[in-house]
Amino acid sequence: QVQLVESGGGLVQPGGSLRLSCVASRNILNINNMGWYRQAPGKQRELVARFTWGGLTQHANSVRGRFTISRDHGKNTVYLQMNNLKPEDTAVYYCNGQLGALDYWGQGTQVTVSS
């Protein structure tokens, strides 16, 4: 099993920045495809960014160039640096990872972009 705990959400004005953190309860080297998803009210959950096989990264078209996923193995933490935030980025952001055949999710952190 693995527990994922997100933090770093909040209210920010358009154009602002936030950094989300996801701390895992075990070595993230053993967790596959760790990444971030988001879900806005009335919409389906969607991929934001994740690590893929071989340590490569994948970012959604809507955030490419503004958001960057990174990780610190020593802290068992995955980050999402979000710059130039837009109102349409408002959503609950979830950390995700796979261990074996199981999918694990954090509890989510709210990001609200509004003036």
Side-chain angles (χ1 to χ4, degrees):
Q1 276 195 345
V2 61
Q3 284 77 46
L4 303 173
V5 179
E6 304 101 332
S7 62
L11 173 64
V12 64
Q13 293 186 343
S17 297
L18 284 174
R19 189 178 78 158
L20 305 183
S21 299
C22 170
V23 180
S25 61
R26 60 186 298 162
N27 191 336
I28 61 174
L29 287 174
N30 298 323
I31 305 172
N32 296 321
N33 301 323
M34 283 200 74
W36 293 92
Y37 290 72
R38 68 186 181 186
Q39 188 167 18
K43 294 187 177 181
Q44 288 189 332
R45 193 171 295 188
E46 63 177 2
L47 172 69
V48 177
R50 67 176 178 177
F51 287 96
T52 61
W53 185 258
L56 298 177
T57 60
Q58 177 185 3
H59 292 77
N61 289 337
S62 59
V63 306
R64 191 171 292 119
R66 300 187 297 122
F67 293 9
T68 303
I69 190 171
S70 63
R71 58 190 176 185
D72 185 330
H73 296 141
K75 296 182 178 179
N76 290 331
T77 301
V78 174
Y79 302 100
L80 184 68
Q81 178 66 44
M82 305 187 294
N83 298 328
N84 190 21
L85 281 158
K86 303 176 180 181
E88 52 263 42
D89 295 318
T90 295
V92 178
Y93 284 71
Y94 297 91
C95 183
N96 170 265
Q98 288 95 49
L99 195 62
L102 298 179
D103 222 3
Y104 292 90
W105 296 91
Q107 82 286 352
T109 185
Q110 176 71 45
V111 172
T112 303
V113 185
S114 175
S115 55

